[in-house]
Amino acid sequence: MKKPDSYKRYCKSLCLKNDDKLIDEYKKVHAAGAAWPEITQGMLDVGIIDMEIYLTKNQLFMIMDTVTDFDHDKAMTELATKPRQSEWEAHVARFQNTSADASADEKWQLMERIYKLGL
């Protein structure tokens, strides 16, 4: 899917458990084609048009691009009800420094943009 010229961007962070073996497993779960198709479809359904996750040590950084009329709170509430979403959250919780029953929105903390190169 080609990203449209106009979209909203959200950046989020999450800490993984500081365990090299778990971090390697987490990377495998997120390798190309490894994410469950229901999870990817659920994100698309709520208006997430692109997502990237970066890792440094045990800190994750997510860039989430969405449709322009995206309502973050509403979309995250809806996403939590999508097929296999709670199962996915339980599956990846073993890698994360969060509660096993936390939703994706509770785990991934929105970041505040404090600088933008104004080109």
Side-chain angles (χ1 to χ4, degrees), residues 33-109:
W36 301 348
E38 298 90 346
I39 302 309
T40 303
Q41 188 59 53
M43 289 189 285
L44 294 169
D45 289 349
V46 301
I48 299 169
I49 54 178
D50 196 12
M51 179 185 287
E52 297 179 20
I53 299 175
Y54 294 84
L55 171 70
T56 181
K57 298 180 183 170
N58 70 320
Q59 182 69 43
L60 296 173
F61 173 68
M62 175 195 292
I63 301 171
M64 185 173 78
D65 295 331
T66 69
V67 294
T68 56
D69 62 348
F70 191 81
D71 179 322
H72 183 273
D73 293 340
K74 181 180 173 189
M76 293 301 102
T77 298
E78 181 183 346
L79 183 60
T81 69
K82 294 291 184 183
R84 297 193 77 192
Q85 187 66 35
S86 61
E87 185 183 352
W88 174 260
E89 293 307 330
H91 177 66
V92 295
R94 64 191 169 114
F95 307 110
Q96 303 167 337
N97 257 350
T98 63
S99 163
D101 60 346
S103 68
D105 193 38
E106 292 167 325
K107 295 175 184 185
W108 286 96
Q109 298 301 300

